[in-house]
Amino acid sequence: MNIVDEVRKVIEPVILENNYRLDEVLYVKEGNTNFLRVIIDKDGIIDVEDCVKVFRLIDPVLDEVDLIDDSYILDVCSKEKGSV
């Protein structure tokens, strides 16, 4: 299982319990910075408050399981534009 699959397995239940859908998880390097990009969706429009809420829900879970050795920035965003 790769890191993206492991992250998905850990955070998807938390996201679903809060009436969001996990669309995609990406782990990418942009320049010298690693990003764990979590793309969410729900019925209706995703706004900044939704991204902040999901960020706050999954950040402690990811810290607890500590799946990624490298430092990274957690980026929660919708399918369209915008992130936290």
Side-chain angles (χ1 to χ4, degrees):
M1 187 178 291
N2 66 36
I3 194 68
V4 168
D5 292 336
E6 290 180 37
V7 167
R8 177 181 278 277
K9 183 178 172 185
V10 169
I11 66 172
E12 192 162 31
V14 175
I15 290 171
L16 291 173
E17 287 169 10
N18 287 276
N19 300 314
Y20 294 96
R21 290 185 297 276
L22 180 56
D23 189 58
E24 193 171 5
V25 176
L26 303 167
Y27 187 62
V28 295
K29 187 167 191 139
E30 296 177 6
N32 291 326
T33 306
N34 295 311
F35 287 89
L36 179 61
R37 193 155 285 133
V38 176
I39 303 168
I40 60 169
D41 200 4
K42 73 172 186 178
D43 293 334
I45 297 171
I46 294 279
D47 59 23
V48 172
E49 288 83 19
D50 292 311
C51 295
V52 170
K53 180 179 178 181
V54 172
F55 179 96
R56 290 182 177 153
L57 288 167
I58 65 174
D59 188 46
V61 173
L62 290 168
D63 285 346
E64 184 178 320
V65 295
D66 198 23
L67 295 171
I68 302 172
D69 293 332
D70 300 322
S71 63
Y72 64 90
I73 294 174
L74 176 58
D75 179 24
V76 177
C77 56
S78 69
K79 287 183 182 183
E80 294 87 32
K81 290 183 175 181
S83 62
V84 173

